[in-house]
Structures are given as structure tokens and as C-alpha cells.
């Protein structure tokens, strides 16, 4: 009986220690993904509400740094370089901090260290990649819950708006959409790359199909890349041998061997030597 009671108490204790109370967050987390032009943005932040408090000058004292939200600091990432409020910023993931200067202006910072809970204890100016001074305007309607939004989107720019209570401030963000598009057009119109030809040839070889086409593709890859790509010429030799072109295969394998020796790649040197020896019998 005592043993059963002990087990029951132990089970109850284990259940109690592992159980976790779930309750709603006063500043719920939001994750916003937005594509503008050819650039993908992700915004991750927590959204506090006014809740009958005086926000600016009291909850957020003038002259102090703010995490630009609640809980963990706000983070903004983008996968191409951008112009953030007139400052050139490389693609990456950044923390967003704000200094509420006064009723008329905010300073908005992009900070390279993102793993902070709030404002860093030791602020490092070298980690500041952009500082933007932004004027504050009175909003047309009160924003109860802090909101960061992508507004006035075009193909190459937008306004990143920060709204809370009765104020709003914005940062203009521009992207190199024209250059990215032109590069994409040039790359596409120039035809397949050497790696595209190599991939197709390798697929056909491994599948044992369309070997004539595989040889055509690998020759184009070699032509574009050159003999220094010894793994390309090695693949050409294997395809030629599969097609019964033994003399051509040996000749190509010797080219691959020579390039592999120059590159110091012992693995390809040995593979080519073994193939040449086997095919030459």
C-alpha cells in the first residue's frame, strides 16, 4: 500500500513539475514577410498596446534607446542589398533599435548583432550599420497596438512605417530592382551555364539514356569552362567510353589526368589512371 501511494505521489509531482501554464501575451509576436520588387523582407517583432498609458515621454522616456517593440528586440532581414533611408546596407539580418529623441524626431538604428533581449547592455557603435533620423508626424487615427508596416510599395521602393498611439514616422527603403532584373535577363538570355550542361549530361549518363545528347552537353560544358575543370573532362571521357568511343575516351581521360595533376587532386589522378589502363587493354 505504501509503495502504491509513493508511486502515485511521485507521478503527481512529475506531472505538476512538467506542466506549464499557458496564458495570452500582452505584446503578441508578429512575423511579417513582404516581397518588394525582387527583394524578400522578413520583419519579426512584438506588439505592445497603449492600454490607457502615456507612451511617449513616460513609458518611453525621451532620449533613451528603445527595442522598437516589446520582448526580444525587433529584427528586419532582406536578401539583397538595400538603401535604408539614404544609407547603403548589405543583405542580412539586423536588429532595429529606436531612440525617441523628442516629440518631433526619432533616430532609427540597424544593428548587426540580433540576439539581444531588448537594448544591448553594452552598445557597440561598430555594430551600427545605419542610423536614420526620421521626423515624427501626428497620425490621422490613433494606433492602439504598435505597428510596423510596409506602405506605398512600388517595384523598387517602399515606406517602412512605425505607428503607435498618435504618432507615425517612416523610413524610405529602396532596392536595386532594375539592376537585379537586368542581370536576370542577361543571364537567362545568354543560355544555359556550364553547370547546367554538366548536370544534364551527368543525369543522362547515370540514367543510361540519351548518351549522344549527354556527350553534346558535356562538350559544351568543357568548352565553356575549359580543361582546368578536370571533373568535366572526366565525365566526358566516361560518356565517350559508354558510347564505345574508346580512343576518344582515353584521349579525354589523359586531358583530365593532366589537369588533375596540375590541381593536385590525387583522387581524380588515380581515377583517370585506372580508367586509361583499363580502356587501353
Amino acid at each position: 500500500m505504501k509503495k502504491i501511494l509513493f508511486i502515485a505521489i511521485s507521478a503527481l509531482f512529475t506531472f505538476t513539475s512538467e506542466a506549464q501554464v499557458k496564458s495570452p501575451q500582452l505584446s503578441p509576436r508578429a512575423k511579417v514577410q513582404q516581397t518588394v520588387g525582387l527583394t524578400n523582407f522578413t520583419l519579426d517583432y512584438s506588439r505592445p498596446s497603449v492600454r490607457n498609458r502615456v507612451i511617449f515621454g513616460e513609458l518611453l522616456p525621451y532620449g533613451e534607446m528603445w527595442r522598437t517593440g516589446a520582448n526580444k528586440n525587433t529584427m528586419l532581414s532582406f536578401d539583397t542589398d538595400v538603401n535604408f533611408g539614404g544609407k547603403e546596407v548589405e543583405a542580412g539580418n539586423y536588429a532595429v533599435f529606436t531612440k525617441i529623441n523628442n516629440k518631433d524626431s526619432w533616430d532609427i538604428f540597424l544593428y548587426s548583432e540580433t540576439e539581444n533581449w531588448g537594448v544591448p547592455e553594452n552598445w557597440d557603435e561598430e555594430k551600427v550599420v545605419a542610423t536614420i533620423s526620421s521626423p515624427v508626424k501626428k497620425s490621422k487615427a490613433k494606433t492602439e497596438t504598435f505597428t510596423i508596416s510596409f506602405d506605398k510599395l512600388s517595384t523598387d521602393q517602399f515606406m517602412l512605417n512605425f505607428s503607435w498611439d498618435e504618432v507615425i514616422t517612416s523610413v524610405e527603403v529602396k532596392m536595386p530592382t532594375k539592376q537585379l532584373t537586368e542581370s536576370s535577363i542577361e543571364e537567362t538570355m545568354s543560355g544555359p551555364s556550364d553547370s547546367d550542361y554538366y548536370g544534364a549530361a551527368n543525369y543522362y549518363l547515370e540514367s543510361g539514356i540519351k548518351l549522344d545528347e549527354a556527350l553534346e552537353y558535356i562538350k559544351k560544358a568543357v568548352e565553356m569552362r575549359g580543361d582546368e575543370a578536370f571533373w568535366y573532362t572526366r565525365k566526358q571521357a566516361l560518356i565517350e567510353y559508354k558510347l564505345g568511343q574508346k580512343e576518344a575516351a582515353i584521349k579525354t581521360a589523359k586531358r583530365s589526368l593532366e589537369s588533375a595533376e596540375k590541381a593536385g587532386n590525387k583522387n581524380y589522378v588515380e581515377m583517370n589512371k585506372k580508367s586509361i589502363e583499363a580502356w587501353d587493354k
Side-chain angles (χ1 to χ4, degrees), residues 78-104:
F78 33 91
D79 59 4
T80 73
D81 296 351
V82 305
N83 183 292
F84 189 84
K87 307 293 178 62
E88 300 297 329
V89 181
E90 294 181 352
N93 189 28
Y94 301 97
V96 182
F97 295 107
T98 306
K99 186 177 181 182
I100 312 297
N101 295 319
N102 48 50
K103 293 181 180 180
D104 300 319

Side-chain angles (χ1 to χ4, degrees), residues 50-88:
V50 175
R51 301 201 310 275
N52 297 317
R53 298 175 294 180
V54 177
I55 303 301
F56 301 104
E58 291 193 14
L59 181 65
L60 298 177
Y62 293 126
E64 292 188 8
M65 197 74 74
W66 178 39
R67 70 188 74 188
T68 322
N71 304 322
K72 185 178 179 180
N73 54 262
T74 292
M75 292 188 292
L76 178 67
S77 64
F78 33 91
D79 59 4
T80 73
D81 296 351
V82 305
N83 183 292
F84 189 84
K87 307 293 178 62
E88 300 297 329

Side-chain angles (χ1 to χ4, degrees), residues 33-42 77-80 82 92 150 175:
Q33 294 180 316
Q34 179 68 60
T35 298
V36 187
L38 297 176
T39 304
N40 298 304
F41 292 86
T42 299
S77 64
F78 33 91
D79 59 4
T80 73
V82 305
F150 296 79
M175 292 75 62

